[in-house]
Amino acid sequence: MTLPDREKTIAALAVTMAIFHLAVASPFFLFPDLILRGTHLLFSLVIGFLIYRSVGRGFGRVFDWAMILLSAVCLGYLIFNHASIVVRPPWTRAATPLELFVALGTVVVVLELTRRALGLAITGLCLVFILYGFIGPDLRHSEFLRPLAHKGVDLNEFVDQMYFSFEGIFGVALGVSTDFIFLFVVFGALLQVIGGGDFFVNITKSATGASRGGPAKMAVIASALMGTMSGSSVANVATTGAITIPMMKRLGYPKTFAGAVEAVASTGGQITPPIMGAAAFLMAAILGISYQEVITAAALPALLFFCSLFVAVHWEALKQGLQPLERSVKGDTWRDFKAGWTFLMPLVVIMTFLIMGYTPSLCAFYGVVATLVTPFLRRSTMVSPAVLAQGLELGARAAVTVAIACASAGIIVGIVQISGLGFRFSSLVIAFADGNLYIALFIAMLAAFVFGMGMPTTPAYIIQATLVAPALVDLGASPLSAHLFVFYYAVLGQITPPVAVAAFAAAPIAGATSTSVGWRAFALGMPAYVIPFLFVANPELLGQGSWLGLLAVLMRSALAIIALSIGFTGWLGGRGLGWLGRGLLLLSAAMLIAPSSLLSAIAVVLFIGVWGWQRHGSRGHMLKGSGHD
């Protein structure tokens, strides 16, 4: 197949996949879950193998078509025999050769496409978990690994769990990808191709351009808005970063800092309601709560995240002596708003239906329909049907990687459940923490960095939600705060070295090295790493408690992240902040995390003292630092 023919085939399949999901999400059709998930995965595998081809012309092409044919046979068997599979009693009889073939074949094609699309990290982790399932009894011979030993999984149990149940590949993760995530990804892609992305960037530029460091603040706000639609930090960097990073560099920001700002802001888009990316829908499904509860709880932590980043870029602008944008470049806010206000309509539709209590699937359906209609509300925004088809295609392409990530994560979750690893891992965390929730939170944070290194947010969250979150709940954290905690660190893994994928995406646009942008993004986003500890210690931030308590905690939390941002930026009151001043601010931030009135009072005194010293200051050298500290 030539390149043009292959691209046409991908486009046709992607648009067909999008239309299929729109049809089954509408109120007019009802299909069994197994058919939907099987068809969703089949589309994803075929499109994925066409996009991520093998290297080489001869054997590579044959292997690709063999993978596509194997996918069609294995998933076709599931779709056509769904009724008997649903009622098939597990583990009561040995699987037939045909059942073994289609089950193991599905595992093979999922792992192969995971390797191509997502890399070796998650593929290798899946293989480690599969191996763990089979060698469980042998771990008793190792003193170090004995706590992880289990009775073992035979081949019959393995294929039942992976293929013939809703607790493996076709489990909750793939179900959420089928029901919610796909349409929300298509929604974001459509909104961008019809001009919504340009509208958000223009309105943000005109609103923030008159202040110091306008382009950096524009990157923060625009990336938050775009992130709510895309749910992908890397995609966010590629879209808004192409505009914001060059603008920051032209204004005088160092190229490393410009790339870091965009990386952190784009990562924050995944934790910003109303559309928080794939993992948020998974969280609602795992916890058995409504998506509205998830986004309500996530609202204030997201506000704190961007508040910390906004403060950091503002003080960096003062530190560098940067000026606002020129009026001719900045644009006019009201004029830009009037030119594209209709692009807000799809978001309004989604929010309205969410508030009314509709399922996320129906909300996404009506949001996509509204996005298809929006360009035709005004003559100036009209687009051709080809543009809409392109949006459907781009959305389906992006959703393929999410579907594969969910399917491969289902392999890991299936092994965790059948082996009892989740209970054992939770017991180990509790034992290491000696019953202390805050030590367990620190261990959970480290585990999140290890499990999430180089992984997309979705599988990183699923693994941590299965292994880590139950231990936090056992030690007293509420289920919602425990899952939001691991969700945050799954997201922050995108800017955590050594594999900070969002920073790596921003580096070439900024013209800087990946390592330098990664470490600068890590330092810039450091206040965000504290926010999960804040909302676990103070459940009021998640909407749990009285309004008076919420106000007090919000003020204390805001002061903590402002202190952290200033401490890491090293600039306050028109002069550089020395190491002692930084240390005092970081100490005050640490004391503000704990729900203690005495520590909060001491922290406020320290903060005011450092602020006053810097502004009115001493000619001594206790707090004084250089202008470019």
Side-chain angles (χ1 to χ4, degrees):
M1 183 183 292
T2 63
L3 183 62
D5 290 338
R6 183 171 61 86
E7 288 300 320
K8 289 179 182 178
T9 302
I10 294 173
L13 287 171
V15 173
T16 303
M17 184 181 185
I19 294 173
F20 167 78
H21 278 78
L22 275 172
V24 299
S26 71
F28 313 111
F29 295 95
L30 186 63
F31 287 89
D33 284 341
L34 200 56
I35 289 182
L36 293 180
R37 296 177 191 185
T39 306
H40 178 69
L41 183 57
L42 177 57
F43 268 119
S44 300
L45 287 167
V46 174
I47 294 173
F49 281 119
L50 288 172
I51 295 174
Y52 303 101
R53 294 181 300 165
S54 297
V55 177
R57 292 178 174 271
F59 175 77
R61 287 183 176 179
V62 173
F63 184 67
D64 287 346
W65 283 109
M67 289 292 100
I68 291 173
L69 180 61
L70 183 59
S71 302
V73 170
C74 295
L75 276 302
Y77 180 91
L78 179 109
I79 294 167
F80 286 109
N81 295 279
H82 72 279
S84 60
I85 290 175
V86 169
V87 298
R88 182 181 188 270
W91 310 342
T92 57
R93 62 175 178 82
T96 66
L98 178 58
E99 289 174 337
L100 285 175
F101 176 80
V102 295
L104 295 177
T106 302
V107 173
V108 168
V109 292
V110 167
L111 289 177
E112 171 60 16
L113 189 54
T114 300
R115 181 190 67 81
R116 299 187 190 188
L118 303 175
L120 290 174
I122 186 171
T123 311
L125 195 60
C126 287
L127 292 172
V128 168
F129 271 84
I130 291 173
L131 179 64
Y132 170 75
F134 286 104
I135 67 169
D138 299 326
L139 300 181
R140 296 190 182 96
H141 304 306
S142 169
E143 185 176 350
F144 179 71
L145 298 174
R146 189 174 299 147
L148 300 177
H150 60 92
K151 67 179 181 62
V153 178
D154 62 31
L155 187 60
N156 193 57
E157 292 173 329
F158 178 75
V159 299
D160 268 310
Q161 185 81 355
M162 291 300 131
Y163 187 88
F164 293 103
S165 77
F166 286 109
E167 296 179 349
I169 292 175
F170 302 99
V172 172
L174 189 65
V176 173
S177 174
T178 304
D179 297 337
F180 313 144
I181 297 171
F182 181 89
L183 285 182
F184 275 105
V185 174
V186 169
F187 165 78
L190 274 172
L191 194 54
Q192 290 191 46
V193 299
I194 65 173
D198 293 337
F199 166 72
F200 288 134
V201 170
N202 290 336
I203 199 73
T204 304
K205 180 173 67 174
S206 58
T208 61
S211 63
R212 287 285 191 100
K217 295 173 182 176
M218 166 191 163
V220 174
I221 298 175
S223 296
L225 292 172
M226 296 292 285
T228 63
M229 295 184 294
S230 71
S232 166
S233 56
V234 175
N236 219 3
V237 168
T239 51
T240 58
I243 300 171
T244 59
I245 291 176
M247 194 173 292
M248 280 188 272
K249 289 172 64 179
R250 284 199 299 270
L251 189 66
Y253 276 98
K255 57 186 179 182
T256 300
F257 184 80
V261 168
E262 180 58 44
V264 179
S266 293
T267 299
Q270 291 189 68
I271 59 172
T272 307
I275 306 168
M276 299 167 56
F281 297 103
L282 284 164
M283 189 189 308
I286 292 171
L287 290 173
I289 62 178
S290 68
Y291 183 66
Q292 293 91 321
E293 291 180 70
V294 173
I295 62 175
T296 300
L300 287 179
L303 180 64
L304 291 175
F305 179 99
F306 284 102
C307 175
S308 70
L309 187 55
F310 219 83
V311 169
V313 299
H314 177 74
W315 288 112
E316 185 70 24
L318 296 179
K319 181 178 177 179
Q320 300 289 342
L322 305 178
Q323 300 301 314
L325 285 175
E326 297 179 4
R327 180 174 295 275
S328 60
V329 177
K330 180 181 79 72
D332 181 83
T333 305
W334 179 241
R335 185 185 63 205
D336 290 336
F337 179 78
K338 287 193 299 182
W341 66 269
T342 50
F343 293 119
L344 295 173
M345 295 302 295
L347 288 173
V348 171
V349 168
I350 284 183
M351 285 302 299
T352 301
F353 280 102
L354 280 173
I355 293 171
M356 292 172 64
Y358 283 74
T359 65
S361 179
L362 269 179
C363 294
F365 169 76
Y366 289 121
V368 171
V369 171
T371 309
L372 292 170
V373 172
T374 293
F376 304 101
L377 297 178
R378 304 173 67 181
R379 184 178 296 275
S380 59
T381 59
M382 290 182 66
V383 297
S384 66
V387 171
L388 298 180
Q390 181 189 17
L392 294 175
E393 178 193 348
L394 292 175
R397 279 174 173 258
V400 161
T401 55
V402 178
I404 296 305
C406 289
S408 56
I411 295 175
I412 295 174
V413 173
I415 294 295
V416 169
Q417 290 180 346
I418 199 172
S419 66
L421 178 62
F423 174 77
R424 290 178 177 82
F425 193 88
S426 295
S427 299
L428 288 174
V429 171
I430 294 171
F432 275 115
D434 196 25
N436 186 294
L437 175 60
Y438 292 98
I439 297 177
L441 290 173
F442 184 74
I443 294 172
M445 178 184 71
L446 297 180
F449 291 153
V450 173
F451 287 131
M453 190 178 297
M455 281 192 191
T457 302
T458 302
Y461 164 72
I462 293 172
I463 295 167
Q464 294 160 45
T466 305
L467 296 177
V468 179
L472 304 182
V473 174
D474 289 341
L475 286 172
S478 70
L480 180 56
S481 62
H483 280 259
L484 269 176
F485 184 92
V486 298
F487 169 66
Y488 254 73
Y489 285 114
V491 171
L492 292 173
Q494 307 292 297
I495 55 168
T496 304
V499 190
V501 292
F504 288 4
I509 303 175
T513 64
S514 300
T515 303
S516 63
V517 174
W519 284 108
R520 192 61 191 271
F522 178 68
L524 188 65
M526 188 60 71
Y529 288 82
V530 177
I531 292 174
F533 288 88
L534 277 169
F535 63 64
V536 172
N538 305 277
E540 292 88 350
L541 286 175
L542 304 181
Q544 302 170 4
S546 65
W547 283 102
L548 187 61
L550 171 62
L551 182 61
V553 170
L554 188 59
M555 292 177 63
R556 183 158 48 82
S557 301
L559 186 60
I561 62 171
I562 289 172
L564 281 171
S565 295
I566 296 174
F568 282 107
T569 304
W571 185 265
L572 180 64
R575 61 170 66 92
L577 188 62
W579 289 110
L580 179 57
R582 289 186 177 195
L584 291 174
L585 285 178
L586 296 179
L587 177 61
S588 69
M591 289 190 291
L592 286 165
I593 294 175
S596 166
S597 299
L598 177 60
L599 290 178
S600 297
I602 297 172
V604 171
V605 170
L606 283 176
F607 186 91
I608 294 174
V610 173
W611 185 288
W613 192 283
Q614 282 292 108
R615 289 190 65 84
H616 302 294
S618 161
R619 293 185 177 277
H621 298 282
M622 186 174 74
L623 297 176
K624 190 175 180 182
S626 68
H628 297 280
D629 200 13

